[in-house]
């Protein structure tokens, strides 16, 4: 019985089932870095960044969208691990002194604080390339599907996705003056990888094109909600509460800084509702994903 | 008529034919970064690094090993461009202040000197992810071949290849005391991507396994010869002669610093001879590749 079918047949205790998926994912992440001789310092840095405590939202999202049967459970975990490696690589780099200059991440010193900048950067490249290696080698997936998965991840993480978002965030944030521009940045920085994760889950289960589009729309709204919730938390939580530096945004334009917490919270909730409608349209099981949204988003943004 | 068949039928003027391949490659590199809206500063940084004057040895090697017919000429150029993007990404990062702290590369200011460290790092990630996107989307190549190509490139560039080499170079060079250890580092830093390029050419033309092994052996020796030639040049040439900072190696252990220029030159020539023997064994046309070796290696290392 696959993890998802446990969740669905239970109907209750969803949070603990998500904890089961997360635990298996943690094991998979560690396994997938054990590929043979690696300089010890580099391997420690990769482990430090990748195996630190994390919600693992993107791989869990991928897993829940894919609703894997027994044959595909391991594959869904591997594919989620690949997405998590790309995400972790982006965090290592975002935290560097020349970018956000952060000291804490995932309840640990940032990778450059613990291992120096050079090894931190190299560990990010190691994780990024490993992600594409994992996808290329997925044994249970037809090669044509693997190339489609790799293309989705490359587009989302590259110079028209995550990388573009970080560039705008660092060097062009002052040009953003309205909600559309801020949300375009949020899309690049966060939405693109959420959408890639969900789309990869949809591709893995071979959903038809129109349902993949609903999945993409769902994840786009989820990603936008998540980034706005993150901006809200940056203003209100402490480092010890969320495990990373807060108030790093400074005077950066966000929905919170431009329009205030109240409107940002409203926008966040609108995106969550739109995400749920799109999820229903996609035909993917709503329950487990809704539980994730409730736990990690609704509970965090709070009410007015 | 494909470029390689021009070369083979001519039998003379090989250098200019390689110049033709290089010119077509330059066009392809520029084309492959034109994928749609990208932050202008980021795009400029990627162009600055990727389109600077370069020998393009790795993609030319891939091309010459693949000996593409008319149907595969464009594909061989795309695949070469992907390898060149990975190589360029590694140069951008190696040049950073926290690594080799170099000011000049490929006759231009290094990318971080021209665009700042953050954008330099992002442009490297952009190039790296684009490389895997290009392979995933190669229209003329069966999907199973594309996944094989991606796996080869990921392994060569990741934490057991290029990334491992740079980590050892930066943080463990002082532990290297004999030729075997130095050459293991040279293998990781240079040989692994030379071998990947040649192997990808062999995979593209669908060579059988034993011939692929000969190609790998050829490229391994070529890469080792190339790295030793590079170490020799670092000691003897000026920045204006080779377009990048020299004497960056300082007291780093290399074959040159450990055993002197004479023995390093001898080792380099031994690797070139071994490379030629392996190339003959592989059945790949020797002429064009030998011309490249003569022009870019034998002419550079000189005689005693």
């Amino acid at each position: 019985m696959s993890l998802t079918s446990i969740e669905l047949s239970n109907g209750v205790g969803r949070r603990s089932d998500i904890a089961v998926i997360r635990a298996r994912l943690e094991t998979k992440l560690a396994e997938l870095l054990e590929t043979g001789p690696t300089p010890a310092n580099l391997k420690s840095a990769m482990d430090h960044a990748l195996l630190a405590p994390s919600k693992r939202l993107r791989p869990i999202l991928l897993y829940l969208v894919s609703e894997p049967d027994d044959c595909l459970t391991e594959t869904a975990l591997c594919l989620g691990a690949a997405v998590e490696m790309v995400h972790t690589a982006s965090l290592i780099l975002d935290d560097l002194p020349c970018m956000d200059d952060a000291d804490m991440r995932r309840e640990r010193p940032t990778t450059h604080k613990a291992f120096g900048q050079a090894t931190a950067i190299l560990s990010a490249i190691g994780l990024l390339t490993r992600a594409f290696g994992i996808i290329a080698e997925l044994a249970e997936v037809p090669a044509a599907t693997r190339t489609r998965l790799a293309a989705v991840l490359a587009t989302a993480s590259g110079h028209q996705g995550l990388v573009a978002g970080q560039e705008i965030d660092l060097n062009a944030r002052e040009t953003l003056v309205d909600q559309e521009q801020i949300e375009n940045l949020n899309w690049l920085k966060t939405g693109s990888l959420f959408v890639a994760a969900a789309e990869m889950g949809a591709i893995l289960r071979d959903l038809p094109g129109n349902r993949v589009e609903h999945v993409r729309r769902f994840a786009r709204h989820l990603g936008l909600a998540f980034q706005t919730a993150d901006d809200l938390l940056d203003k209100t939580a402490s480092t010890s509460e969320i495990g990373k530096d807060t108030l790093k945004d400074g005077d950066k334009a966000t929905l919170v800084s431009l329009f205030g917490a109240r409107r940002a919270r409203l926008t966040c909730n609108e995106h969550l509702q739109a995400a749920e409608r799109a999820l229903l349209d996609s035909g993917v099981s709503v329950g487990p994903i809704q539980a994730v949204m409730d736990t990690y988003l609704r509970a965090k943004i709070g009410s007015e």
Side-chain angles (χ1 to χ4, degrees), chain A residues 119-136:
Chain A
T119 299
I121 293 169
L122 293 172
S123 69
I125 304 297
L127 291 171
L128 196 64
T129 50
R130 183 73 185 117
F132 288 101
I134 289 167
I135 295 175

Side-chain angles (χ1 to χ4, degrees), chain A residues 39-216:
Chain A
N41 191 51
L42 176 68
K43 176 68 166 58
S44 298
M46 291 168 75
D47 286 346
H48 173 90
L50 187 67
L51 306 182
S54 159
K55 299 185 286 294
R56 311 290 185 203
L57 279 183
R58 292 157 191 78
I60 287 174
L61 182 63
L62 186 156
Y63 189 96
L64 294 177
V65 169
S66 73
E67 301 189 79
D69 59 21
D70 287 352
C71 297
L72 280 183
T73 299
E74 290 295 306
T75 303
L77 291 170
C78 285
L79 206 48
V83 172
E84 187 67 15
M85 287 181 192
V86 169
H87 173 56
T88 303
S90 79
L91 297 181
I92 294 171
L93 299 175
D94 289 1
D95 286 338
L96 288 171
C98 65
M99 300 206 196
D100 294 349
D101 194 14
D103 294 335
M104 290 292 290
R105 169 71 72 178
R106 293 179 165 176
E107 303 174 29
R108 295 182 177 181
T110 47
T111 310
H112 68 273
K113 281 280 168 189
F115 293 88
Q117 289 188 57
T119 299
I121 293 169
L122 293 172
S123 69
I125 304 297
L127 291 171
L128 196 64
T129 50
R130 183 73 185 117
F132 288 101
I134 289 167
I135 295 175
E137 290 165 357
L138 284 175
E140 304 295 327
V141 178
T145 306
R146 281 182 260 165
T147 58
R148 208 174 143 200
L149 293 164
V152 166
L153 188 59
T155 302
S157 49
H159 65 289
Q160 298 190 292
L162 273 185
V163 167
Q166 184 66 358
E167 167 67 24
I168 294 170
D169 197 13
L170 290 168
N171 294 322
R173 184 75 96 143
E174 69 282 3
T175 65
L176 311 177
V177 294
D178 62 27
Q179 177 161 346
E180 189 185 335
Q181 291 171 327
I182 300 274
E183 294 220 306
N184 180 53
L185 173 60
N186 289 350
W187 153 248
L188 292 170
K189 274 182 72 84
T190 310
S192 62
L193 201 54
F194 268 82
V195 170
E199 185 173 359
M200 290 164 80
I203 291 171
L204 187 62
R205 66 188 282 183
D206 206 17
L207 279 191
N210 63 327
R211 290 179 64 191
V212 174
E213 274 313 307
H214 291 308
V215 166
R216 286 179 53 87

